[in-house]
Amino acid sequence: MATGDTVKFISLGGIGSIGKNMNLFEQGDDIMIVDCGLMFPDEEQPGVDLILPDMTYIFDNAERVRGVVLTHGHEDHIGALPYLLEQMALPVWGTGLTLGLVQAKLDEFDIKPGCEFIEIKTHETYQIGSFSFEPIRVNHSIPDAVGLAIYTEQGLIVHGADFKFDQTPTEGLPADFHAFARAGAQDPIALIVDTTNCDEEGTSGSEMRVREALMEIVEEAPGRVIMTTFASNIGRLQLAIDAAAEHGRKVAIVGRSMEKNVRVAAPLGHIEIPEYLRININQIDSYPDDELVILVTGSQGEPLAALSRIARGAHHQIKVHPEDTVVMSSSAIPGNEALIWKTVNGLARQGAHVLYGEGYVHVSGHAKAEEIKLLVNLVRPKCLIPYHGEYRHMLAFQDLAIELGFDKKDVHLLGPGRTLEFTGGIAHPGKSVQAGSVNVDGLGVGDVGDVVLQDRRILAHEGIVMPVIAIKRDTCEMVSEPDIYSRGFVHVQESEEMLDKIKHEVGRTATDVCAEGIDDPEVLYEQLRKRIGGYIERLTGRRPLVLPVMIPIDM
Amino acid sequence: MATGDTVKFISLGGIGSIGKNMNLFEQGDDIMIVDCGLMFPDEEQPGVDLILPDMTYIFDNAERVRGVVLTHGHEDHIGALPYLLEQMALPVWGTGLTLGLVQAKLDEFDIKPGCEFIEIKTHETYQIGSFSFEPIRVNHSIPDAVGLAIYTEQGLIVHGADFKFDQTPTEGLPADFHAFARAGAQDPIALIVDTTNCDEEGTSGSEMRVREALMEIVEEAPGRVIMTTFASNIGRLQLAIDAAAEHGRKVAIVGRSMEKNVRVAAPLGHIEIPEYLRININQIDSYPDDELVILVTGSQGEPLAALSRIARGAHHQIKVHPEDTVVMSSSAIPGNEALIWKTVNGLARQGAHVLYGEGYVHVSGHAKAEEIKLLVNLVRPKCLIPYHGEYRHMLAFQDLAIELGFDKKDVHLLGPGRTLEFTGGIAHPGKSVQAGSVNVDGLGVGDVGDVVLQDRRILAHEGIVMPVIAIKRDTCEMVSEPDIYSRGFVHVQESEEMLDKIKHEVGRTATDVCAEGIDDPEVLYEQLRKRIGGYIERLTGRRPLVLPVMIPIDM
């Protein structure tokens, strides 16, 4: 029975929603951070570039924070780190590729001097304050990913991280089943489990299947092969490069994030692309189509990425040729489906042959139900903490855990800011801490909140109408013709008659208010807002944002 | 060999994209319209309510139009009809339920007097001008759906309509294989084929499977069963009602469109809900949870529909109970995935047990590859016209047709406005006609075009900033303090310093322009727009819409 300090696990970031993964472990005077990710906004957050976890709790406890451990190099695990390191100098532990990807990001930031980057290897143990941890090799859709065995005062906590079990991986070795089994022999107090694909039966499938499919496609394609995948899926890029080498094709890599990742991964040995094989995008027209593989960004249909521009016919260097084969070697992040199909249709309409489909040219990087069960049975922890899934996945995980013989009360579903405290080796809910989201828009962090987003939504749907008048500062008397400015409302040239009507109503409102002897511009503002809003709704059935603009003149 | 008039097939509406289905058949002086549907906007058309097909060609040829035949009652086949009948009186042919659903829509419109509605039955032949047609029973996700055998001067054209083949339907009979076979024996010149699920192998699955699943769920659910499906999926609603009756539960129906469809379908015999079984939403709290089935709208996660409001905790009458079972008896229309999962997560977070999954609580209403092959082999037409699918589906269909022994040139992929002409029984491309989309926003039809949508997109992403000044009408001299209005840009209270800087820059710009002796307000406007836009981008990294507001004052 553990008798040391109380140990706290705090889910600061993304549990309950995919993205911005960030977990804290606390004991005595030490806080250890695992991962520091961001997420990308959905359509209800127009104009927001990035979403960071709210790190107030970390800043408030800065003197106790001993460092950050990173499990792998995906944005939802490392993306917020620069924003943290801008505020405080910390040591950062991660595998070679993960640190390489972090460092490639830091140039654009003004990070505190004194940050230290420590490369970690599996089978080694590292100390962070009073914690120690051992990285455990897992398979995932990026190389050099690890889970963690974390030794605390209360016992061992196993963090499975983002994982799958690939028995025949094409890069590196299968996940370290032995290390998980050894951890399981130490009576761990908790296991943190990736539940992303928890509601899918069977296993996620091996990268070997994708390798075979890509080999065949590249061999048989009558023209160019254009392949997209996540830019960080280095292993998948390698498969395409191998297929190109095997079948006498050159390889061009197009898209900034993909080029950058290859630049980082190559010197570390995670991707191998012989000099003779690689060509520049400007050279592609010098080769016959059936001697080319082109790797492009845009697997999620991102409008500005290479593939989407090709699909729209808007890419300067790559136009679709009728015999092109396009391989969508990826799956949709929920919410991106429509954009992806738009890209596929655009390519198909220009004559490309588009291949897609999970289990064919793609397999997921996240474990499915059978792999999750195996992890749980290997580690045999006292309690389970589902992680990295939507709420529905966590519930599906709870059902699965019950099937595996766990009590429902030993499966802890933790929303952002929720805390689990271990005493006597037993977990129980602790006090929540501040958590949530901070929006990044352009250069600003945190200055775009709910009110601004609400306005953007209305602007997006109905546009804005601005009644404009100049008034005498002291009497609120109108001293100009009323005017109407609008954007996103109606086509101005074709709607002059309607806009004239609204203009007229503005004048009438201002005159009415003045006739009542009111000389308070705020009253006039409210009257204009309400009356013109109501008038427009009766006239058009729409409710644009109505923003009266009044200029006080001294005269 | 056919020797009659040339026959034209015009794809006016949705071929190439799902939605707004509308096809025209022409010979001599006669035009026959098949279906008149609308589509719903995607996220790139913010604020647009509906999208209609551009019917200019029909209006330009009004004197030749003989009427409209409807294949079934889905919005993407009947939704634009009221907008057509507002412009011209026409006879409309359709089955009982289809006409019932049309008539329930027409109340809100001011349709031309003289429209005639003619109920059609299978195995009967109807005359439209020089055309005649016979409806053929098909299975689909709405009852009373038909394909059409259309007799033209050039021979028989078979329109498969939206279809599936259900060997064990739970409503009505299997599709009329015999009628399709009889049509095939008449050497048809073309077959129009629903390609929606063309890229999915096997068959779409029978409604009988869903019946069994729902029976079991309703029997075993510990609390209430809350089920959603498309409001028009009358057959699915019947399955839930049958399960409720079988297992001693009452049924409440919640959501306007669902109530309306039941009201239309019941007197026609397409849905049967005994008086004793049905209760009002206000009565649900008078019954134990395990004696209730609640049917709700919101299968696509529509934010204002009943289920989404329940998921947000914002429904006045229905709060989630911990033992509730929610059945998502539907699939996602591409683009709606994120909203649907948000709904599922919201329900799960409140403790509901949410069931979903095709092949379990849902089967598609559209044929998959094996059914499509059977249709083609039954009808054995000279040429094929894929319909009702995205471009990728049409291409997949082309591959499938080639497997079935067709020449690629006999599969005609027709975008909107494209025409196919039959002479001597042979199809060849004809002259395109005007086609496209007309946006409906609020009460306005067609006044929201690309410019307005472009503005809305910018507004949605970056907001709007308005530098405001009053100027002397004759000299452009500034006669007020410059002011800044903004919406959707930054949180105003927290950004005063920045807004002051921008204000200052406005004043400086106006003074500079004036100092150059410029008295043209348009020059001042352009200068303000450019300089303030650039200044804001340097300051914030954002590019909001900058709209200078200048009020000319006579003084």
Side-chain angles (χ1 to χ4, degrees), chain A residues 46-47 199 341 345 348-349 356 390-392 441 443 447 455-456 460-461 466 468 485 487-488 540 542 551, chain B residues 46-47 199 341 345 349 356 390-392 441 443 447 455-456 460-461 466 468 485 487-488 540 542 548 551:
Chain A
D199 60 347
W341 292 130
N345 288 324
R349 194 169 288 123
Y356 47 88
E390 300 173 29
Y391 202 81
R392 62 191 171 105
D441 179 5
L443 307 177
D447 63 348
D455 277 352
R456 286 185 183 172
H461 283 93
M466 290 154 286
V468 178
Y485 283 64
R487 277 295 183 279
T540 66
R542 294 172 209 171
I551 307 183
Chain B
D199 59 348
W341 292 128
N345 287 324
R349 195 169 286 123
Y356 48 89
E390 300 172 30
Y391 202 81
R392 63 191 169 106
D441 179 4
L443 306 177
D447 62 349
D455 278 350
R456 286 185 183 173
H461 283 92
M466 290 153 286
V468 178
Y485 283 63
R487 277 294 185 278
T540 66
R542 298 174 204 166
I551 309 184

Side-chain angles (χ1 to χ4, degrees), chain A residues 16 42-44 46-48 199 334-335 337-339 341-342 344-345 348-349 352-353 356 390-393 395 399 441-444 446-448 451-452 455-456 459-464 466 468-470 479-480 485-491 494-495 498 525 537-542 545 547-555, chain B residues 16 42-44 46-48 199 334-335 337-339 341-342 344-345 348-349 352-353 356 390-393 395 399 441-444 446-448 451-452 455-456 459-464 466 468-470 479-480 485-491 494-495 498 525 537-542 545 547-555:
Chain A
D42 66 23
E43 56 197 276
E44 294 192 20
V48 172
D199 60 347
E337 291 85 352
L339 282 174
W341 292 130
K342 181 175 272 186
V344 170
N345 288 324
R349 194 169 288 123
H353 192 54
Y356 47 88
E390 300 173 29
Y391 202 81
R392 62 191 171 105
H393 300 117
L395 280 192
D399 290 346
D441 179 5
L443 307 177
D447 63 348
V448 173
V451 177
V452 174
D455 277 352
R456 286 185 183 172
L459 290 169
H461 283 93
E462 304 287 0
I464 187 168
M466 290 154 286
V468 178
I469 48 170
V479 293
S480 70
Y485 283 64
S486 77
R487 277 295 183 279
F489 174 53
V490 290
H491 197 281
E494 292 168 7
S495 310
M498 178 171 64
Y525 178 94
E537 189 174 2
R538 284 194 301 281
L539 213 59
T540 66
R542 294 172 209 171
L545 214 150
L547 176 63
V549 173
M550 302 176 306
I551 307 183
I553 308 281
D554 300 301
M555 63 194 295
Chain B
D42 65 24
E43 55 197 279
E44 295 194 20
V48 172
D199 59 348
E337 291 85 352
L339 281 176
W341 292 128
K342 183 175 272 190
V344 170
N345 287 324
R349 195 169 286 123
H353 192 56
Y356 48 89
E390 300 172 30
Y391 202 81
R392 63 191 169 106
H393 300 117
L395 280 192
D399 289 346
D441 179 4
L443 306 177
D447 62 349
V448 173
V451 177
V452 174
D455 278 350
R456 286 185 183 173
L459 291 170
H461 283 92
E462 304 288 1
I464 186 167
M466 290 153 286
V468 178
I469 47 170
V479 294
S480 68
Y485 283 63
S486 79
R487 277 294 185 278
F489 173 52
V490 289
H491 197 281
E494 294 167 8
S495 310
M498 176 170 66
Y525 177 94
E537 190 173 3
R538 282 193 303 282
L539 213 55
T540 66
R542 298 174 204 166
L545 214 150
L547 176 63
V549 174
M550 302 177 307
I551 309 184
I553 308 280
D554 300 303
M555 60 195 298

